[in-house]
Amino acid sequence: MRRRDIRNIAIVAHVDHGKTTLVDAMLKQAKVFRDNQVVQERIMDSNDLERERGIRILSKNTSISYKDMKINIIDTPGHSDFGGEVERVLNMVEGVLLVVDSVEGPMPQTRFVLKKALEFGHAVVVVVNKIDRPSARPDFVINSTVELFIELNAPDEQCDFQVIYPSGIKGQAGLSPDNLAEDLGPLFESIIRCIPGPRIDKDGALQMLVTNIEYDEHKGRIAIGRLHAGVLRRGMDVRVCTTEETCRFARVSELFVYDKFIRVAAEAVEAGDICAVCGIDDIQIGETIADKITRKPLPAIRVEEPTVKMAFSINTSPFVGREGKYVTSRNLRDRLYRELERNLAMRVEEGDGKVTNSWWDPQK
């Protein structure tokens, strides 16, 4: 069965096609913030490096309410170097908003994220963004997008996609480029109409696939994923499984759901919703939080192996120690290990007086 009161969507696009600005407008019109609240631009860019570069690096979760419908939104990275984030996030959703610039049309990262969405069988809503630009050419963009669907061997039902023409910066959208509504209502209505609710087993044994991990200095590792079956409760004893043979006991100390722009503590979460779980310090992406008796794991997510390697050794330059605040290898080592708590595509190895850092690059 499917839940009818929830929609789980990912917003995917090539870098600089305006998806984070569009999410800003969606949050504001859904009354996530007070009328007198001062809100910065690119709200979802909470990371300092993201704000400096103006790009999404880590996927971010939020949710809005529209006509008694909860819409979980995941804003994903648009740069190809962080494409692994997109691939994992697609396990949590049933549909995507494919944001395409009204002038540039589909770009290389557009192809990558669309290919992954089609492989998952997700419903796609094509969003021709920045339609207010004087040089906008929506007909060209739609024709190019249709050609891309055909090149990727999309089935007929996925090629028959809904198209929305918004201006993220103006907070307007319409079903045609020449007739925009005063708000983003047509976009919200298309999400509800075109994206199916999550398929669940409400009365089944607990199953939650861990799709992403965050790290908090006080709470430790936080597992994020969608609940596929059953009900998860705070304080519940569970099993963490990779396969049916490799399971270990754990307890959920805290449980959160995404409400508007923040994580909100919850006593219980029902199947179909996206939640965050604390208390399992050794949890990994791809593992299943399962019922302690039935312990049935879901198919695991493959985390991409690193393809780029760099070795950091002792600085033998004559200028060693003359610049910088943290100049010793110990500081560098500590920083790399802190990054391991958040970056699952990275590996760190020690030996022979040097630290080797490896990470995943989709362009290799």
Side-chain angles (χ1 to χ4, degrees):
M1 61 176 293
R2 291 188 181 273
R3 281 190 68 168
R4 299 183 179 276
D5 60 336
I6 286 181
R7 297 293 186 270
N8 298 320
I9 64 168
I11 300 186
V12 297
H14 187 81
V15 65
D16 284 339
H17 278 200
K19 59 181 170 44
T20 301
T21 303
L22 183 62
V23 173
D24 285 0
M26 294 172 71
L27 292 172
K28 291 174 182 176
Q29 293 191 19
K31 302 298 181 183
V32 169
F33 308 104
R34 302 187 311 272
D35 292 337
N36 63 345
Q37 185 172 348
V38 178
V39 181
Q40 63 189 9
E41 292 184 359
R42 301 197 315 274
I43 306 161
M44 300 293 279
D45 287 346
S46 55
N47 181 289
D48 290 339
L49 185 59
E50 290 177 330
R51 298 200 63 80
E52 177 186 340
R53 300 289 180 88
I55 60 173
R56 164 74 58 252
I57 295 175
L58 302 173
S59 60
K60 303 291 175 62
N61 295 62
T62 187
S63 76
I64 60 175
S65 296
Y66 181 79
K67 293 184 177 180
D68 298 325
M69 180 78 66
K70 180 180 182 181
I71 303 176
N72 286 312
I73 301 173
I74 307 176
D75 187 11
T76 62
H79 198 285
S80 60
D81 287 349
F82 314 108
E85 287 274 325
V86 178
E87 193 167 356
R88 293 197 298 269
V89 159
L90 291 176
N91 282 274
M92 284 195 286
V93 301
E94 287 73 41
V96 299
L97 299 186
L98 181 69
V99 180
V100 185
D101 187 279
S102 64
V103 176
E104 294 182 351
M107 299 291 281
Q109 181 70 355
T110 312
R111 183 186 185 92
F112 172 79
V113 296
L114 178 60
K115 180 175 181 289
K116 293 300 179 182
L118 295 176
E119 288 175 357
F120 279 93
H122 290 334
V124 180
V125 175
V126 175
V127 179
V128 182
N129 197 25
K130 305 182 184 181
I131 197 62
D132 56 319
R133 294 179 64 176
S135 54
R137 44 180 186 170
D139 292 339
F140 163 79
V141 171
I142 293 301
N143 290 336
S144 300
T145 305
V146 171
E147 291 176 1
L148 181 57
F149 271 75
I150 295 172
E151 288 176 16
L152 295 175
N153 297 317
D156 293 342
E157 57 270 19
Q158 286 181 310
C159 289
D160 186 21
F161 51 80
Q162 174 69 61
V163 181
I164 299 294
Y165 302 89
S167 167
I169 200 164
K170 290 184 177 180
Q172 295 178 292
L175 296 177
S176 69
D178 302 321
N179 186 21
L180 302 185
E182 293 299 318
D183 55 20
L184 293 174
L187 176 59
F188 292 132
E189 293 290 346
S190 296
I191 291 172
I192 294 173
R193 185 178 67 255
C194 302
I195 307 296
R199 190 181 296 278
I200 62 170
D201 184 1
K202 185 177 181 179
D203 300 321
L206 172 67
Q207 285 182 310
M208 172 186 160
L209 183 65
V210 178
T211 308
N212 211 347
I213 287 179
E214 293 182 2
Y215 183 79
D216 184 272
E217 297 291 343
H218 304 289
K219 302 182 188 302
R221 293 172 82 87
I222 303 174
I224 300 171
R226 179 166 71 83
L227 201 60
H228 288 256
V231 178
L232 184 61
R233 293 183 172 86
R234 185 170 68 88
M236 188 175 185
D237 291 323
V238 298
R239 288 220 194 189
V240 179
C241 302
T242 304
T243 66
E244 290 189 17
E245 290 75 28
T246 55
C247 294
R248 60 191 184 277
F249 285 101
R251 172 170 288 186
V252 177
S253 62
E254 292 184 84
L255 188 61
F256 299 89
V257 294
Y258 291 91
D259 183 18
K260 298 180 179 178
F261 195 57
I262 59 175
R263 283 198 300 256
V264 178
E267 289 297 319
V269 178
E270 295 183 354
D273 208 351
I274 293 173
C275 62
V277 177
C278 302
I280 310 175
D281 293 335
D282 58 349
I283 192 75
Q284 298 289 340
I285 284 178
E287 293 185 319
T288 299
I289 298 176
D291 182 84
K292 66 178 181 179
I293 298 175
T294 59
R295 60 180 191 179
K296 291 182 179 179
L298 292 162
I301 300 173
R302 183 182 64 86
V303 178
E304 300 84 358
E305 289 299 316
T307 57
V308 177
K309 181 179 289 188
M310 181 178 292
F312 298 88
S313 58
I314 297 173
N315 191 345
T316 57
S317 165
F319 300 102
V320 60
R322 297 189 181 186
E323 287 186 348
K325 184 177 180 181
Y326 301 108
V327 296
T328 64
S329 59
R330 178 178 58 83
N331 294 125
L332 178 60
R333 175 189 178 276
D334 291 345
R335 178 65 185 89
L336 288 174
Y337 275 99
R338 286 201 306 274
E339 184 66 21
L340 278 179
E341 298 288 352
R342 300 172 172 86
N343 191 340
L344 273 299
M346 194 174 80
R347 306 283 187 275
V348 176
E349 301 171 1
E350 294 187 63
D352 300 327
K354 63 182 179 180
V355 178
T356 302
N357 180 29
S358 308
W359 65 94
W360 179 71
D361 184 350
Q363 296 178 347
K364 296 294 181 181

